[in-house]
Amino acid sequence: MVLKRRAAALAAVAVLVLTPAVASCSDDGDTSSGQTSSSAPPAPTDRPADPAAAKAQIARNWTAFFDPKTPATERVKLLENGAKLAPVLAAFAGDKNAAMTTAQVKGVAFASPTKANVTYDLLVGGNPALPGAKGTSVLQDGTWKVSAATLCGLVQLSGATVPGC
């Protein structure tokens, strides 16, 4: 069971290398233009101005990041500090299990306007390998990205030693 879980985690990391998903474009939807309208209450400080749009982008980007069909160049764009961590992604590019790994976002809870806790299932061949996994998403350069800490946590679970994590 432990070996099976470790293999699944390694596959997930490999998928990360093979799947940083297409960074979805989002419209800014900036409603904070300095208007003093009483129709919209001020946004709480622990979440973004448009939580629904942010949650949708997080789910889209996580799904794309873990999608084996997403080109590596796009995955880099969906990873916090992706250019710096490209070698980490490349280290797993040859793993055959990566082609079978996907993720399903189950929940998003904002810790701040620029950070969210993400609960997701990591699937290998459609079967849960890491159900209820926890990770984080960060808002960087206007895009919600899979955090470097999440990627490095998966690398650590795999038992691999990769420079950069």
Side-chain angles (χ1 to χ4, degrees):
M1 182 72 151
V2 172
L3 288 175
K4 198 175 210 182
R5 204 171 201 133
R6 185 169 278 218
L10 180 57
V13 172
V15 170
L16 284 174
V17 174
L18 299 174
T19 59
V22 179
S24 301
C25 296
S26 69
D27 61 60
D28 287 342
D30 186 4
T31 58
S32 59
S33 60
Q35 300 174 354
T36 58
S37 170
S38 63
S39 63
T45 59
D46 64 339
R47 63 183 187 169
D50 188 347
K55 284 181 181 183
Q57 186 184 66
I58 290 167
R60 247 188 339 265
N61 290 353
W62 274 62
T63 299
F65 182 79
F66 287 97
D67 183 344
K69 296 175 185 163
T70 302
T73 55
E74 295 301 319
R75 282 183 279 114
V76 167
K77 294 176 186 177
L78 297 178
L79 177 62
E80 177 188 22
N81 302 323
K84 289 181 182 177
L85 291 172
V88 175
L89 295 176
F92 292 96
D95 189 290
K96 64 182 178 181
N97 289 321
M100 301 180 344
T101 304
T102 58
Q104 291 179 340
V105 173
K106 297 296 186 179
V108 175
F110 293 103
S112 76
T114 60
K115 183 178 179 185
N117 297 314
V118 180
T119 302
Y120 64 102
D121 290 345
L122 197 59
L123 310 171
V124 176
N127 298 311
L130 291 174
K134 305 286 185 192
T136 55
S137 186
V138 296
L139 183 63
Q140 185 178 56
D141 301 325
T143 300
W144 284 96
K145 301 179 180 189
V146 173
S147 71
T150 297
L151 173 64
C152 290
L154 288 170
V155 169
Q156 187 176 29
L157 273 176
S158 76
T161 303
V162 180
C165 276

